[in-house]
Amino acid sequence: MIHLTHPTRRRTVLRAMTAGAAAAALPAVHAQGDRPVSLIVSYPAGGGADLMARLIAPHLGTALGRSVVVENKPGASGQIAASFVAKAAPDGNTLLLDASSFAVNPSLFAKLPYDSEKDFTPLGIVALFPNVLVCTPSYEARTVKDVVRLAKASPARISYASSGNGSAQHLAGALFEDRAGVQLVHVPYRGGGPALTDVMGGQVPLFFANVASSLGHIQSGRLRPLGATSRRRARALPEVPTMEEAGVPGYEVLEWNPVLAPAGLAPALKTRLRDALRKASAEPEVLGRIRSLSGESFPDGPEGLVTAFLKAQQSQWAKVIRDRKITAG
């Protein structure tokens, strides 16, 4: 038993007890402050997700007062990285930067090694990027309306390329078929590079391309842009109409990069991480780079906005995958 009758002893013990209580009350992000935050990227170095991770990491580190290290764990359409983060301790030391496949995988694969809704805490979305429907320069279609007219005249005769079954380009084409009321032929490739090469070469006429990766080819005349997949015109292609403007109602396809933590974060830690990500995303260097790639910032709003967006995306692609019987194989 500790007796506090002696004044000096009493002050010493009280100071120790107070310090101990304060330390116990600190969020885990402070307790682990000597350790860098691992930002796990679900795709290889050099890709779009990796670019966003390396752009945001130093600014996120400044906002948190800690270093942030980018680690690539590619494979299985993002499942390897997501599974790793889902199993990590909810202490703020391990975060995931994924791609829009995060909302596709629950419907595309029969079983995942994690639960996309229960095993993660959404913190924010770094940016939203439109795609653009492009065609071979010699192709007879000059507009999206021309593509729809030709497709209706010859059902299941016009082809579009993609980087593989279940890829972003495949799903963009499937949604286009649904919204435009046409039937196209999907031609999967082993990657976006070979698909784009064959479209430029005329082997396949259509491709739903990432604006950033196709912009140089568009500017050089090796590809013709027909329609942007966002609700407003792509910043880098202001003369290209949106799908809505081109007569395809209710069509929107975006590529985006969410940042997520494991489930079970303490409320104070969750708030701190969200605030840090919001601050990092608003940095002029980050905004400038995103806009140079024709991207847009995710709109600021209430805490549940990101979760609502993820659920809406998952619901949209679940319907497309189910209705079109799309598989990953």
Side-chain angles (χ1 to χ4, degrees):
M1 180 179 292
I2 299 175
H3 296 283
L4 302 180
T5 54
H6 192 281
T8 302
R9 179 182 297 174
R10 182 168 61 247
R11 284 194 299 270
T12 301
V13 172
L14 286 174
R15 278 198 300 268
M17 292 173 64
T18 302
L26 286 173
V29 71
H30 292 295
Q32 301 293 332
D34 58 341
R35 211 178 121 185
V37 175
S38 294
L39 184 59
I40 308 300
V41 184
S42 52
Y43 288 87
D50 179 70
L51 174 63
M52 287 299 104
R54 295 182 190 279
L55 175 65
I56 202 78
H59 300 285
L60 181 59
T62 298
L64 289 172
R66 304 172 59 192
S67 60
V68 175
V69 178
V70 175
E71 298 181 38
N72 299 86
K73 291 186 181 293
S77 298
Q79 294 182 55
I80 291 175
S83 178
F84 179 85
V85 174
K87 296 171 183 175
D91 55 10
N93 290 318
T94 309
L95 306 177
L96 171 69
L97 191 143
D98 208 336
S100 47
S101 56
F102 182 81
V104 173
N105 287 348
S107 301
L108 189 61
F109 295 93
K111 187 176 181 181
L112 294 175
Y114 55 84
D115 187 311
S116 60
E117 292 188 24
K118 296 179 180 179
D119 291 345
F120 298 94
T121 300
L123 299 176
I125 293 173
V126 176
L128 305 166
F129 294 97
N131 288 339
V132 58
L133 175 60
V134 297
C135 70
T136 305
S138 60
Y139 187 52
E140 59 183 301
R142 292 293 186 272
T143 65
V144 172
K145 288 183 179 179
D146 287 343
V147 174
V148 173
R149 173 178 54 81
L150 292 168
K152 286 186 175 180
S154 302
R157 296 290 298 275
I158 298 174
S159 302
Y160 71 97
S162 86
S163 60
N165 286 321
S167 65
Q169 300 88 16
H170 183 191
L171 296 176
L175 186 64
F176 180 83
E177 291 181 87
D178 181 66
R179 297 290 191 265
V182 298
Q183 295 179 7
L184 303 176
V185 177
H186 172 230
V187 181
Y189 284 76
R190 290 183 177 274
L196 198 60
T197 297
D198 269 13
V199 173
M200 289 189 287
Q203 283 80 9
V204 183
L206 301 173
F207 185 64
F208 289 85
N210 177 279
V211 172
S213 62
S214 62
L215 186 59
H217 301 306
I218 291 171
Q219 292 171 336
S220 68
R222 286 176 287 181
L223 291 171
R224 180 189 302 129
L226 300 176
T229 66
S230 46
R231 291 292 174 89
R232 60 182 181 182
R233 296 192 178 197
R235 189 182 297 272
L237 298 168
E239 74 286 356
V240 179
T242 67
M243 288 292 185
E244 287 262 7
E245 292 173 330
V248 184
Y251 187 93
E252 182 181 39
V253 175
L254 299 168
E255 294 192 28
W256 38 275
N257 298 110
V259 177
L260 308 105
L265 290 181
L269 178 56
K270 179 168 63 175
T271 298
R272 184 159 189 256
L273 289 171
R274 282 178 170 163
D275 289 347
L277 181 62
R278 186 181 296 113
K279 183 177 180 180
S281 300
E283 287 294 326
E285 180 188 355
V286 175
L287 288 175
R289 182 60 174 145
I290 288 171
R291 288 171 180 170
S292 74
L293 297 171
S294 208
E296 302 288 344
S297 299
F298 189 80
D300 200 3
E303 181 179 316
L305 187 62
V306 174
T307 300
F309 175 81
L310 293 178
K311 288 183 177 179
Q313 288 288 302
Q314 186 170 328
S315 177
Q316 171 178 287
W317 295 123
K319 184 178 186 307
V320 171
I321 289 167
R322 181 179 64 250
D323 291 351
R324 297 280 165 175
K325 297 180 175 56
I326 294 173
T327 62

